[in-house]
Amino acid sequence: MVSLISSRLSLFSRPSTTFIRFARLISMESFSSHGVVPDVISVAPKALCTIKYDSGVEVSEGNVLTPTQVKNAPSVKWNGDNNKLYTLIMTDPDAPSRAEPKYREWHHWLVSNIPGQDLAKGDVLSAYVGSGPPPKTGLHRYIFLIYEQKGRIEDKEHGIVNHRLTNTSADNRGGWKAAKFVEKHGLGVPVAGNFYQVMCIVLNTMTTFPSSTSNSVQLKLRPL
């Protein structure tokens, strides 16, 4: 009797394969609902990667963050095989704005030949640049994509490790296409991904003069 009860309870404690697949479909739906599919990729990633910043924030399928929270390169984790190489892409398809993306895409980070999940040992083709959308351009999407490589990538057209794009260089970052890079190197469908959004916020000050002798200052955040 006890074993029968235990076996039945285990059915509830362990999610079924169907449930796991359903949960993944719900999760990956965010890539379509936010337009990442088809603006950047044609198929959603197979899984979510975990992205954490030293400011304490974590990327979560389109959550809205601030430029100061994402100014430094984050840690990125996914279910990587130590015997395989991976490419990481971070790109903004909303340059200069989502309404008029004439510079789509502006890539912020590009690292290839990453062994397993050891990002520090990968070849940095474009150094990390934080999010800084211009005023009056609304929310920008910043998409992280992880691809499994078939072999080592040598991309002299884009740059090599000793001639990489630094975090102070905007050369060739705009008008770049993740899909073209993926096709060029036969990377296929992303094995993992995630994304967040950022909007430029201007701090307005409005000084009021109450009846008291001291002045008070009201601060208002105005999204642009």
Side-chain angles (χ1 to χ4, degrees), residues 95-208:
S97 70
R98 189 168 178 177
E100 297 181 2
K102 60 182 179 180
Y103 300 126
R104 175 175 292 173
E105 302 153 22
W106 207 92
H107 76 282
H108 284 250
W109 203 11
L110 180 60
V111 186
S112 64
N113 302 321
I114 304 167
Q117 298 186 67
D118 199 341
L119 191 54
K121 292 184 178 179
D123 294 339
V124 180
L125 299 182
S126 298
Y128 180 86
V129 173
S131 304
K136 300 181 180 180
T137 59
L139 282 170
H140 284 231
R141 297 162 293 172
Y142 296 88
I143 298 119
F144 292 81
L145 300 168
I146 308 294
Y147 291 89
E148 182 182 310
Q149 299 175 196
K150 295 179 180 178
R152 288 194 65 82
I153 287 178
E154 299 293 340
D155 196 324
K156 294 183 180 179
E157 180 182 347
H158 184 92
I160 56 177
V161 179
N162 294 330
H163 297 85
R164 67 180 186 178
L165 289 181
T166 67
N167 59 5
T168 60
S169 174
D171 293 346
N172 301 317
R173 288 186 185 265
W176 190 83
K177 302 289 184 184
K180 287 186 177 180
F181 186 88
V182 168
E183 181 181 9
K184 178 180 180 181
H185 297 289
L187 298 177
V189 176
V191 296
N194 215 326
F195 64 101
Y196 65 86
Q197 300 180 89
V198 167
M199 179 189 296
C200 178
I201 296 179
V202 175
L203 187 66
N204 273 358
T205 62
M206 180 179 68
T207 305
T208 61

Side-chain angles (χ1 to χ4, degrees), residues 21-39:
R21 288 176 179 173
F22 180 68
R24 178 187 174 275
L25 286 173
I26 293 176
S27 180
M28 297 302 103
E29 175 61 25
S30 63
F31 285 83
S32 295
S33 62
H34 284 276
V36 178
V37 176
D39 288 351

